[in-house]
């Protein structure tokens, strides 16, 4: 990783809160609030920390970058009705779009990418660009089993940060974090000493992890969206393949597909610098103007 990027990571953003659909969403913001906004949304079980590097990078490049915690994750509110379907998260994104004068760029990985696509398809006049990290329709259900195991195991907590780091690598198809102490910012410790992720355990129930309604919503959004859409496909992804990428391109003719060489599905937590560079290149291609 380039040294200048390492220096940027030491910079702390401003904690912000915005209205979602019946709750508040927390985020970490970088840059001028009057600049064109770029919103980042993480995958299920992650937090805004997965995107803070990219949010910082675009903030220093003249945009207003905000890495959000999804509902029930990080410092965002837990849903009082325990609704963690992807459509509920998409409604949160829709609410965010109405609170800014500029058109918004939506960036999302996994569940956050699905929510971005669904919300963006509903409000083309408010969206400048949708950029997805390894998200496509028709993702195979069996490939989500690792995510299911991760949530089930995480509901009980871990005896140590090292055990949590092992679970991330085992279940979420990503390299094992060398320094497990980095997970402190994404976890909490209970009175017995066990470590828990910063998310509502209800968000990991089976009914919310890849139900049929999720793919139906993604397919409908892909067929409807008119904004520019870019998908950065992880070369080693177990969820996005040649078949569902082709389906995505058929549904969304304007889709552009880029490849993250040597990366797996959950690559954004460790490949922020490369992703941010691709994002800035795309932003240069699409002019900014006020939302109508």
């Amino acid at each position: 990783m380039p040294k200048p990027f390492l220096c940027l990571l030491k910079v702390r953003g401003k904690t912000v809160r915005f209205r979602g659909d019946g709750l508040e969403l927390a985020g970490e913001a970088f840059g001028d609030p009057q600049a064109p906004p770029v919103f980042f949304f993480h995958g299920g079980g992650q937090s805004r920390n997965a995107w803070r590097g990219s949010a910082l990078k675009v903030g220093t490049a003249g945009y207003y970058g905000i890495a959000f915690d999804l509902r029930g994750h990080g410092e965002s509110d837990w849903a009082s009705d325990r609704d963690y379907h992807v459509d509920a998260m998409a409604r949160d994104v829709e609410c965010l779009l109405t609170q800014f004068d500029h058109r918004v760029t939506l960036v999302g990985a996994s569940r956050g990418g699905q929510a971005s696509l669904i919300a963006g398809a509903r409000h083309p006049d408010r969206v400048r660009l949708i950029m997805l990290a390894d998200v496509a329709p028709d993702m195979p259900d069996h490939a989500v089993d690792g995510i299911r195991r991760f949530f089930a195991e995480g509901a009980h907590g871990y005896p140590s940060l090292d055990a949590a780091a092992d679970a991330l690598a085992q279940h979420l198809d990503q390299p094992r974090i060398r320094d497990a102490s980095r997970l402190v910012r994404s976890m909490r410790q209970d009175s017995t000493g066990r470590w828990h992720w910063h998310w509502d355990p209800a968000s990991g129930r089976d009914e919310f992890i890849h139900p049929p309604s999720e793919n139906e919503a993604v397919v409908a959004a892909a067929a409807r969206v008119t904004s520019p859409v870019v998908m950065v496909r992880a070369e080693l992804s177990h969820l996005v393949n040649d078949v569902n990428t082709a389906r995505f391109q058929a549904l969304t003719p304007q889709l552009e597909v880029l490849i993250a060489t040597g990366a797996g599905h959950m690559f954004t937590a460790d490949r922020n610098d490369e992703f941010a560079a691709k994002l800035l290149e795309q932003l240069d291609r699409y002019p900014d103007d006020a939302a109508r």
Side-chain angles (χ1 to χ4, degrees):
M1 189 179 292
K3 290 184 178 180
F5 186 72
L6 286 173
C7 294
L8 286 175
L9 283 177
K10 298 177 182 178
V11 178
R12 303 303 302 181
K14 178 181 178 181
T15 299
V16 294
R17 297 189 72 84
F18 288 92
R19 174 175 48 82
D21 183 34
L23 44 69
E24 283 193 343
L25 300 175
E28 187 173 4
F30 301 88
D32 181 358
Q34 302 305 312
V38 182
F39 297 167
F40 296 86
F41 302 96
H42 60 79
Q46 293 184 310
S47 73
R48 66 185 191 237
N49 290 321
W51 276 121
R52 76 178 305 274
S54 288
L56 171 55
K57 196 79 168 181
V58 301
T60 60
Y63 298 91
Y64 187 42
I66 308 177
F68 281 98
D69 287 323
L70 295 176
R71 61 167 52 203
H73 292 68
E75 295 181 33
S76 288
D77 291 346
W78 290 12
S80 59
D81 60 0
R82 297 296 186 264
D83 185 358
Y84 293 107
H85 286 102
V86 70
D87 193 73
M89 295 178 180
R91 294 196 302 271
D92 290 335
V93 178
E94 290 183 75
C95 288
L96 292 173
L97 292 175
T98 66
Q99 297 171 65
F100 288 78
D101 293 330
H102 287 276
R103 290 195 302 161
V104 177
T105 295
L106 299 175
V107 182
S110 197
R111 177 61 61 85
Q114 294 173 326
S116 296
L117 181 63
I118 294 167
R122 293 171 179 168
H123 300 277
D125 57 327
R126 293 188 172 275
V127 176
R128 177 180 181 176
L129 166 69
I130 301 172
M131 190 153 174
L132 307 172
D134 214 48
V135 174
D138 302 334
M139 292 191 291
D141 187 68
H142 68 84
V144 184
D145 287 342
I147 297 173
R148 294 188 175 101
R149 289 192 293 269
F150 172 72
F151 273 103
E153 183 179 298
H156 302 288
Y158 304 91
S160 67
L161 292 175
D162 277 313
D166 290 340
L168 279 174
Q170 179 182 356
H171 301 309
L172 297 188
D173 188 36
Q174 62 185 50
R176 207 261 192 204
I177 297 174
R178 293 182 182 179
D179 181 7
S181 66
R182 291 173 50 196
L183 295 177
V184 167
R185 64 185 183 181
S186 300
M187 306 193 77
R188 57 181 174 81
Q189 192 172 27
D190 66 22
S191 59
T192 70
R194 292 187 70 81
W195 290 90
H196 302 266
W197 301 107
H198 274 307
W199 35 260
D200 182 353
S203 67
R205 295 204 303 246
D206 283 347
E207 65 190 278
F208 301 132
I209 303 178
H210 206 238
S213 60
E214 178 181 293
N215 190 57
E216 291 169 5
V218 172
V219 169
R224 176 180 180 178
V225 66
T226 57
S227 302
V229 182
V230 177
M231 190 260 281
V232 180
R233 176 181 168 183
E235 182 183 27
L236 306 180
S237 176
H238 61 295
L239 287 172
V240 177
N241 52 47
D242 290 343
V243 174
N244 55 24
T245 296
R247 175 88 188 282
F248 199 176
Q249 290 175 313
L251 291 167
T252 311
Q254 74 273 26
L255 174 70
E256 181 174 354
V257 179
L258 307 177
I259 303 296
T261 306
H265 177 66
M266 302 295 281
F267 67 92
T268 52
D270 294 312
R271 301 283 290 271
N272 270 195
D273 53 340
E274 295 179 30
F275 190 96
K278 294 178 186 293
L279 172 58
L280 289 172
E281 290 175 1
Q282 296 299 320
L283 286 169
D284 284 342
R285 297 175 57 191
Y286 301 102
D288 171 57
D289 56 28
R292 295 185 293 275

